[in-house]
Amino acid sequence: MADVNLNRLSVFVSLVRAGSFTAAAQQLGSTKAMVSQHLAKLEEELGVQLVVRSTRRMSLTDAGERFHEDCARVLADAEAAIAQLGECRDTPMGSLRVAAAGDHGPSIVAPALADFAARFPQVKVELVTSDSVVDLIAERFDLSIRIGWLRDSSLRAAKLASFRQCLVASPAYVAKHGAPRVPEDLAAHAWIALTVLSSPTRWTFSSASDEAEYTVQTRPVASANGTLGVHAFVAAGLGISVLPDYLVDEDVAAGRLVALLPRFRLPEGGVYAVYPGKQPPVKVRAFIDLLKERLAGSSG
């Protein structure tokens, strides 16, 4: 086998199907002499005569007939394999392993994955939630959905949506301690710090009216390494903090939390799909498009 040029198998099968060297050369876009040369080389490599040639016609030897059947089957299997590979390239299939943080993983990513699995039943979806940044390549994730501000990375990222940062407290906290009127007032209030942020106790607000900036150093009384923990502390009345809109909008609308400093803004954060490699596979591209579509619909 090591001495046989497998490309010549295709020439041999084409020759048999065409019925003559001239017809085979036309089908292959080659010359009659080249087809004859490929056949002669193949017979030499195999050590067996495959075709009996005459001035008017050609015919297969017994060995040639058996070999042709096997070659035709091998080429058909190869064509089927290539076709299946094309389907993998064009149709989402296989497994889709997604990493997300503990707050937005269940609330945002899981419903999108359920929708994706319903649309593409050939894909098995898996969601892994963690409040630490995962190594996509080492842990074999297809992509990660990250919230906030991306650090420098060799990974590729697609921005899916933006979110507002909301300053909130519980009604009980406001009733007991009062509500801040300007950002500077926060220095005297109890603060709940989100430790995964680069600067969990220092915040810069901008005025909605004149874009002036106000930076304040807060006084933490408690901290958590995830937004769900911060949310629980705030809801319990322990202090004030900043949380993403998707986590507090319903609470504010229901009166369970109070939005503070409405005349001031914090920088918007982003929702990103992060993935390894320059060109993501079709399953990753399809899920990114679906999640972007869902997030656009929910924000509208």
Side-chain angles (χ1 to χ4, degrees):
M1 277 298 296
D3 296 329
V4 176
N5 186 331
L6 298 181
N7 291 323
R8 303 195 208 282
L9 302 186
S10 178
V11 175
F12 173 60
V13 170
S14 296
L15 173 62
V16 175
R17 289 175 179 172
S20 71
F21 287 88
T22 300
Q26 292 175 346
Q27 291 180 10
L28 294 171
S30 183
T31 64
K32 179 180 176 181
M34 187 62 70
V35 173
S36 180
Q37 182 179 345
H38 276 301
L39 177 63
K41 287 287 187 180
L42 179 60
E43 291 177 324
E44 179 183 339
E45 292 165 350
L46 293 172
V48 175
Q49 184 177 5
L50 301 173
V51 176
V52 177
R53 307 164 182 79
S54 68
T55 55
R56 293 189 176 183
R57 58 189 298 272
M58 55 159 274
S59 61
L60 293 176
T61 63
D62 290 341
E65 288 183 358
R66 290 195 299 270
F67 189 64
H68 171 257
E69 292 177 2
D70 291 337
C71 286
R73 184 173 62 253
V74 168
L75 291 176
D77 289 344
E79 290 172 358
I82 293 170
Q84 290 178 357
L85 187 62
E87 291 177 3
C88 291
R89 183 191 62 220
D90 301 329
T91 304
M93 58 179 58
S95 62
L96 182 68
R97 181 171 160 87
V98 182
D103 58 353
H104 63 273
S107 60
I108 295 177
V109 183
L113 280 172
D115 188 2
F116 188 78
R119 294 191 191 187
F120 303 105
Q122 291 176 289
V123 179
K124 177 184 177 182
V125 299
E126 179 183 1
L127 173 63
V128 177
T129 58
S130 172
D131 288 323
S132 60
V133 177
V134 299
D135 187 327
L136 296 187
I137 297 175
E139 299 181 49
R140 302 190 66 180
F141 284 100
D142 293 295
L143 75 160
S144 173
I145 307 302
R146 296 181 183 172
I147 304 290
W149 296 264
L150 293 180
R151 302 169 184 172
D152 291 338
S153 171
S154 61
L155 302 172
R156 300 281 173 159
K159 187 173 183 180
L160 306 176
S162 299
F163 67 89
R164 292 175 294 105
Q165 296 191 92
C166 304
L167 185 71
V168 292
S170 70
Y173 179 92
V174 173
K176 184 175 182 180
H177 301 283
R181 294 179 300 168
V182 292
E184 291 89 338
D185 292 345
L186 292 174
H189 280 271
W191 187 261
I192 311 299
L194 178 60
T195 57
V196 294
L197 297 177
S198 59
S199 181
T201 60
R202 186 177 177 86
W203 293 84
T204 298
F205 294 80
S206 61
S207 170
S209 58
D210 59 9
E211 298 297 328
E213 291 190 346
Y214 305 86
T215 299
V216 59
Q217 181 68 43
T218 60
R219 177 177 57 88
V221 298
S223 63
N225 67 345
T227 54
L228 293 180
V230 172
H231 180 276
F233 280 139
V234 172
L238 186 58
I240 296 174
S241 194
V242 172
L243 287 167
D245 56 6
Y246 60 83
L247 203 58
V248 300
D249 276 350
E250 289 187 6
D251 290 326
V252 171
R256 294 186 294 268
L257 292 178
V258 178
L260 305 173
L261 298 181
R263 296 186 298 109
F264 297 88
R265 293 193 301 258
L266 288 164
E268 285 193 341
V271 181
Y272 298 90
V274 182
Y275 53 89
K278 293 183 179 181
Q279 184 63 32
V282 64
K283 62 183 179 182
V284 172
R285 296 198 306 271
F287 182 68
I288 289 174
D289 290 342
L290 183 147
L291 188 53
K292 186 182 295 186
E293 173 187 312
R294 288 176 62 92
L295 290 172
S298 63
S299 64

